[in-house]
Amino acid sequence: MMSRTTICRGILTRDSGFGLRSMSSWWGHVEPAPKDPILGVTEAFLADPSPDKVNVGVGAYRDDNGKPVVLQCVREAERRIAGNQNMEYLPMGGSVKMMEETLKLAYGENSDLLKEKRIAAVQALSGTGACRLFADFQKRFRPDSQIYIPVPTWANHHNIWRDAQVPQRTFHYYHPDTKGLDYATLMDDIKNAPNGSFFLLHACAHNPTGVDPTEEQWRDISYQFKVKGHFPFFDMAYQGFASGDPERDAKAIRIFLDDGHSIGCAQSYAKNMGLYGQRVGCLSVVCEDEKQAVAVKSQLQQIARPMYSNPPVHGALIVSTILSDPDLKNLWLKEVKGMANRIIGMRTAIRENLEKLDSPLSWEHITKQIGMFCYSGLTPEQVDRLTNEFHIYMTRNGRISMAGVTTGNVGYLANAIHEVTKSGSK
Amino acid sequence: MASRNIICRGILSKKSGFGIRSMSSWWGHVEPALKDPILGVTEAFLADPSPNKVNVGVGAYRDDNGKPVVLQCVREAERRIVGKQNMEYLPMGGNVKMVEETLKLAYGENSSLLKEKRIAAVQALSGTGACRLFADFQKRFKPDSEIYIPVPTWSNHHNIWRDAQVPQKTFHYYLPKTKGLDFESLMVDIENAPNGSFFLLHACAHNPTGVDPTEEQWREISHQLKVKGHFPFFDMAYQGFASGDPERDAKAIRIFLEDGHSIGCAQSYAKNMGLYGQRIGCLSVVCQDEKEAVAVKSQLQQIARPMYSNPPVHGAQIVPTILGDPDLKNLWLQEVKGMADRIIGMRTALKENLEKLGSSLSWQHITDQIGMFCYSGLTPEQVDRLTNEFHIYMTRNGRISMAGVTTGNVGYLANAIHEVTKSGSK
């Protein structure tokens, strides 16, 4: 035994060629992945020693002191569950209680679809996980389909449907000239897409533009979808966070449901309940009847099983604790409104500051856009100037996270934006 | 407006054929998925009203009263965390501190690979998520490779590599005749596989058989893998839980590392820290140098991003709270040993009971096998009799979860097994 080991060690050195793959590497050909466009912003921000630095790249809510927030309702829920829950596996489809409450938020408390058990739903790893489960499901059961994605959209949408191997197309959404919705072209794209196409829609507070269709426009979009027989998939990552009122933010979805669409929907508690890192969300798919919903749910679970087996329990417990207790739920609604109001206040403040500085440009879009982000219209070069000269960090597409704006920095921010834009048109 | 709505509703009713995909269904062709072989057992158990019922299908630890357990070290860690941590997104690669502590467990506290930063590692969604990230990585960067999977194995291994679209082969592992390792055929299969094949190995406490190679056999397996230039991927779901000593349970991995293999490794805290539903684990891949490790890690993150963006934070806070505190870590080690000892005690008790009943068969394998499971050798028909006549629930492959055996039910269980086996050979 000893001598064989010694021989082995001799054989197995790097210099040996004895029928061996040398220790040169399995993964020598693996290139470093490109830096994440959003993470890189925060990295650079953290590395900047300037006392004036401002981070408006962050896609997470901050209070008026620029600090991360854990909602009171969440802290209370944590207190209630700490120490008295076991940590057993959830079912593959996740926490039933959490999902019931979550579906009520999207579909309405008295939704017939809920009563008739027509909604196939599974707990998912926040909005990302919900979108991915749907994309994989779409690939598996509609293998010839494509997904139409708005321009622009959250960068990870492209990654998700790409890794699910669903071909992507785009449709017009944002109009750079107006910094609003390119409604006419959007409707053209809907009409020109082959019947029965799959469309990805942001239910509210479009990311990154903050531009949402009006209610009237949503009705027209829904109608056109019906005419064309398209499949509407809603990504709702900001319910409650957009207007301050979750019911109001679900309006687009309710319009489509009223029109009889069988939608798919990704929901997330990352922002509206501040549960970012807990990874809590839900994927739902409307079906013809309960039997079909059972079948679809079972297939969604089959996709989840070889990905993570069953979803994480902690965040789900927090959500169901809050939403099933009327007092905690009311507290949550107040806190969501508070966050939304602070953002709206900062939109007003930055616009007013820019107007007071006699900016030659229109900044109306700042207060028209909705949700966490403002698509400022700044060019990449202007963004670079903001970073290099003023230590202000945002993504190079000019997207400002209003959540990072505070009464303390709004004046400085407006000043800097004015400086880099005052010389001419954008 | 109102009139158009009325017209719309008329057009959009189910009966209309106006260029619309009828509400008949997007998903009418979706079949219900097959019931999960393990979940179905627990469902049936729960539905059984018999006061004598026993669940030895459950793959989760139970105390001697058959109750789920949350470890004291975990409760203490929870107490320290609750109310104090924010819930911000983890980086895509997860909690760095958690990953560091986790790598020490697998690779050794003083591992030179750790010092040289040669290990690409990311937090993963327990063992399932770690295996899936690796399978996707393997597909992406070794697209022509296959995975060799032992027979039998945890059923979800097949699902994982299938959904990653990596072709599967099998290798001999379990010998039904001896209820032990089919070492000879295993070695033949290793030799016959084309050079540079990818092999999935259970680091300890093989699931479902409980049959592990001896240290000597591991050394030979490692040698043969080196000769053939194979890639060893270890799934270590039971470290600490198998023998009661995490260092000892990592022996196979350490042998391979000493032999210079560049391994991959999936680790899970589901069982050994009782964190089942928190979904906390780690995937690591040994690289040539730090630069390669950085590249590989970045690519692993690219796979995670369109799946779930970043991993859940709660379990990742619990783990380093425990492992980073010497007292809590010691408590954990004691508790792990306690769990392992109870299981070993139940193995002995079950075997002794069967022998006392005068069973003519050999039950040596019950105490030879290691970890949570005993591969009893019972046939599906005998398992069905156990269920139908005795209300004892296990998976039909005869796998008994020793974690479900208690001093209260071991006699009843032994009796029942004796009843269904005494009539002849198995």
Side-chain angles (χ1 to χ4, degrees):
Chain A
M1 179 59 218
M2 264 300 287
S3 58
R4 184 165 70 73
T5 308
T6 311
I7 293 167
C8 278
R9 293 229 153 70
I11 287 169
L12 298 173
T13 57
R14 275 179 188 257
D15 305 317
S16 161
F18 181 84
L20 288 165
R21 166 183 291 281
S22 73
M23 269 175 58
S24 84
S25 145
W26 291 95
W27 313 115
H29 62 301
V30 175
E31 295 292 321
K35 261 199 183 294
D36 187 274
I38 297 169
L39 218 73
V41 170
T42 296
E43 273 178 29
F45 169 80
L46 290 170
D48 187 331
S50 162
D52 296 327
K53 64 182 182 179
V54 175
N55 187 355
V56 285
V58 63
Y61 183 77
R62 295 287 177 264
D63 65 14
D64 201 45
N65 298 311
K67 298 278 176 267
V69 169
V70 177
L71 302 182
Q72 288 179 55
C73 60
V74 170
R75 284 297 186 217
E76 175 55 25
E78 273 196 306
R79 270 190 292 272
R80 291 187 194 183
I81 62 185
N84 54 30
Q85 304 280 337
N86 66 43
M87 297 188 179
E88 295 298 289
Y89 293 127
L90 285 174
M92 277 185 285
S95 159
V96 171
K97 199 156 170 246
M98 191 278 290
M99 277 189 301
E100 278 171 10
E101 295 296 335
T102 303
L103 293 179
K104 284 195 236 170
L105 280 181
Y107 294 84
E109 291 235 4
N110 299 311
S111 158
D112 287 333
L113 294 171
L114 277 170
K115 292 196 181 83
E116 295 161 25
K117 304 195 177 181
R118 282 178 51 195
I119 306 176
V122 292
Q123 180 182 338
L125 290 157
S126 212
T128 305
C131 288
R132 178 58 179 271
L133 284 182
F134 183 78
D136 279 359
F137 178 76
Q138 179 186 352
K139 178 67 179 178
R140 194 166 287 190
F141 292 99
R142 286 282 166 192
D144 300 330
S145 68
Q146 300 162 328
I147 185 77
Y148 281 77
I149 294 187
V151 178
T153 194
W154 179 48
N156 207 25
H157 280 143
H158 293 291
N159 301 331
I160 290 167
W161 269 271
R162 178 203 66 221
D163 274 21
Q165 298 175 52
V166 174
Q168 301 178 30
R169 291 234 187 300
T170 57
F171 66 93
H172 288 81
Y173 189 83
Y174 178 73
H175 204 319
D177 289 350
T178 61
K179 298 185 187 53
L181 188 66
D182 188 354
Y183 182 63
T185 322
L186 185 158
M187 291 302 275
D188 279 347
D189 287 348
I190 292 173
K191 286 174 193 149
N192 291 336
N195 287 6
S197 295
F198 282 68
F199 273 76
L200 167 66
L201 304 167
H202 296 226
C204 62
H206 181 272
N207 176 6
T209 68
V211 168
D212 286 349
T214 63
E215 188 176 317
E216 174 69 23
Q217 287 170 330
W218 273 125
R219 290 192 188 283
D220 285 352
I221 293 167
S222 172
Y223 172 75
Q224 197 57 43
F225 264 60
K226 248 340 200 167
V227 168
K228 294 288 295 180
H230 290 331
F231 184 97
F233 182 77
F234 282 97
D235 186 356
M236 183 156 68
Y238 296 96
Q239 186 184 13
F241 205 97
S243 69
D245 175 5
E247 275 299 291
R248 196 166 139 192
D249 289 346
K251 189 63 185 170
I253 287 179
R254 305 294 171 81
I255 286 169
F256 274 66
L257 294 172
D258 285 344
D259 283 350
H261 286 286
S262 293
I263 69 170
C265 183
Q267 292 170 263
S268 167
Y269 287 103
K271 284 89 178 170
N272 62 12
M273 217 177 259
L275 294 179
Y276 304 94
Q278 304 290 350
R279 319 312 292 126
V280 196
C282 180
L283 167 67
S284 52
V285 179
V286 173
C287 300
E288 282 211 291
D289 51 39
E290 183 178 356
K291 181 174 171 212
Q292 194 179 104
V294 166
V296 167
K297 177 174 170 159
S298 75
Q299 292 293 350
L300 292 173
Q301 291 176 175
Q302 288 288 92
I303 293 168
R305 180 147 178 59
M307 226 185 252
Y308 49 84
S309 281
N310 42 73
V313 65
H314 192 71
L317 273 174
I318 292 174
V319 171
S320 54
T321 302
I322 291 171
L323 295 184
S324 61
D325 175 327
D327 291 334
L328 276 187
K329 183 170 179 180
N330 278 335
L331 176 56
W332 172 59
L333 290 170
K334 276 173 32 200
E335 292 189 277
V336 167
K337 191 157 195 358
M339 290 195 285
N341 284 347
R342 194 184 90 65
I343 300 255
I344 289 166
M346 288 299 102
R347 287 183 181 277
T348 303
I350 194 169
R351 180 183 163 189
E352 284 177 355
N353 270 269
L354 282 161
E355 288 168 352
K356 279 209 202 89
L357 288 164
D358 284 328
S359 170
L361 305 164
S362 165
W363 297 103
E364 195 182 14
H365 54 287
I366 295 183
T367 46
K368 281 173 83 166
Q369 291 166 3
I370 190 172
M372 198 182 278
F373 302 112
C374 163
Y375 222 43
S376 62
L378 291 165
T379 65
E381 295 68 37
Q382 288 168 331
V383 171
D384 289 343
R385 281 192 64 195
L386 283 178
T387 305
N388 298 330
E389 296 174 34
F390 296 93
H391 310 278
I392 292 169
Y393 292 82
M394 66 180 71
T395 47
R396 280 185 103 240
N397 56 3
R399 184 193 83 167
I400 298 174
S401 174
M402 297 307 298
V405 182
T406 68
T407 49
N409 67 26
V410 64
Y412 178 78
L413 183 58
N415 209 63
I417 291 174
H418 179 58
E419 283 298 308
V420 308
T421 57
K422 66 186 180 184
S423 51
S425 65
K426 293 209 308 297
Chain B
M1 178 60 219
S3 58
R4 185 166 72 75
N5 274 356
I6 295 166
I7 294 167
C8 280
R9 297 226 150 72
I11 289 169
L12 300 173
S13 62
K14 277 193 191 242
K15 305 199 188 74
S16 162
F18 182 83
I20 311 170
R21 165 184 291 280
S22 74
M23 268 174 57
S24 85
S25 137
W26 291 95
W27 314 114
H29 60 300
V30 175
E31 295 291 321
L34 298 169
K35 259 199 185 294
D36 187 274
I38 297 169
L39 217 73
V41 170
T42 295
E43 274 179 27
F45 169 80
L46 291 170
D48 186 330
S50 163
N52 297 324
K53 65 182 181 180
V54 175
N55 186 354
V56 285
V58 64
Y61 183 76
R62 296 287 179 265
D63 65 15
D64 201 44
N65 297 312
K67 298 278 175 265
V69 169
V70 177
L71 300 184
Q72 288 180 53
C73 60
V74 171
R75 284 296 186 219
E76 175 56 25
E78 274 197 307
R79 270 189 292 272
R80 294 185 192 184
I81 294 167
V82 72
K84 299 201 185 69
Q85 306 274 346
N86 66 44
M87 297 190 178
E88 296 296 291
Y89 292 127
L90 284 175
M92 279 185 286
N95 180 317
V96 172
K97 200 151 170 259
M98 193 282 293
V99 169
E100 277 173 13
E101 292 295 336
T102 304
L103 293 181
K104 284 196 237 167
L105 280 182
Y107 293 84
E109 290 234 2
N110 299 311
S111 157
S112 51
L113 291 171
L114 276 170
K115 294 196 179 80
E116 296 161 27
K117 303 195 178 186
R118 283 178 51 196
I119 306 176
V122 294
Q123 179 182 337
L125 292 157
S126 211
T128 305
C131 286
R132 177 57 179 271
L133 284 183
F134 184 78
D136 278 359
F137 178 76
Q138 179 185 352
K139 178 66 179 179
R140 193 166 287 191
F141 292 100
K142 288 286 176 189
D144 299 329
S145 68
E146 297 164 324
I147 186 78
Y148 280 77
I149 295 187
V151 177
T153 194
W154 178 48
S155 57
N156 207 25
H157 281 143
H158 293 292
N159 300 330
I160 290 167
W161 269 271
R162 178 204 65 221
D163 274 20
Q165 297 175 51
V166 175
Q168 303 176 29
K169 293 238 191 306
T170 56
F171 64 94
H172 289 82
Y173 190 83
Y174 178 73
L175 191 56
K177 217 166 45 177
T178 60
K179 298 184 187 56
L181 187 67
D182 190 351
F183 183 61
E184 239 184 77
S185 307
L186 186 158
M187 292 301 279
V188 165
D189 287 348
I190 292 173
E191 277 181 59
N192 290 340
N195 286 6
S197 295
F198 282 68
F199 273 75
L200 168 67
L201 304 166
H202 295 226
C204 61
H206 182 271
N207 177 3
T209 68
V211 170
D212 287 349
T214 62
E215 187 176 318
E216 174 68 23
Q217 288 170 331
W218 273 126
R219 290 191 189 285
E220 294 197 38
I221 293 167
S222 173
H223 171 72
Q224 196 58 39
L225 257 75
K226 219 37 176 131
V227 167
K228 294 288 298 183
H230 291 331
F231 184 97
F233 183 77
F234 281 98
D235 186 357
M236 183 156 66
Y238 296 97
Q239 186 182 13
F241 205 96
S243 70
D245 175 4
E247 275 300 290
R248 198 165 137 193
D249 289 347
K251 189 63 183 172
I253 287 178
R254 304 295 171 80
I255 286 169
F256 275 65
L257 294 172
E258 279 163 23
D259 282 351
H261 285 285
S262 292
I263 69 170
C265 184
Q267 293 172 260
S268 165
Y269 287 103
K271 284 88 176 171
N272 63 11
M273 219 177 258
L275 295 178
Y276 304 94
Q278 305 291 348
R279 318 313 292 128
I280 175 95
C282 178
L283 167 67
S284 53
V285 178
V286 173
C287 299
Q288 281 217 101
D289 50 39
E290 185 177 356
K291 180 171 172 216
E292 191 177 288
V294 166
V296 168
K297 177 175 170 161
S298 76
Q299 293 293 350
L300 293 173
Q301 292 176 173
Q302 289 286 92
I303 293 168
R305 183 150 177 53
M307 225 185 254
Y308 50 85
S309 282
N310 43 72
V313 66
H314 191 71
Q317 287 168 338
I318 292 175
V319 170
T321 302
I322 293 171
L323 296 183
D325 174 325
D327 291 332
L328 275 188
K329 183 171 179 179
N330 279 335
L331 176 55
W332 172 60
L333 290 170
Q334 269 170 50
E335 293 189 276
V336 168
K337 188 156 190 0
M339 290 193 287
D341 284 347
R342 193 185 91 66
I343 301 257
I344 290 166
M346 288 299 102
R347 289 183 180 277
T348 305
L350 181 62
K351 178 180 168 207
E352 284 177 355
N353 269 270
L354 283 160
E355 288 167 350
K356 278 207 204 94
L357 287 164
S359 173
S360 56
L361 304 163
S362 168
W363 297 102
Q364 181 70 28
H365 54 287
I366 296 182
T367 46
D368 282 350
Q369 291 164 5
I370 190 172
M372 198 181 279
F373 302 112
C374 162
Y375 222 41
S376 62
L378 292 165
T379 66
E381 294 69 36
Q382 288 167 331
V383 170
D384 289 343
R385 281 192 63 195
L386 283 177
T387 305
N388 298 331
E389 297 173 35
F390 296 93
H391 309 277
I392 292 170
Y393 292 82
M394 67 179 70
T395 47
R396 278 185 103 238
N397 57 4
R399 184 193 82 168
I400 297 174
S401 173
M402 297 307 300
V405 182
T406 68
T407 50
N409 66 27
V410 64
Y412 178 77
L413 182 60
N415 207 63
I417 291 173
H418 180 56
E419 282 298 307
V420 306
T421 56
K422 66 186 181 184
S423 48
S425 65
K426 292 210 311 293

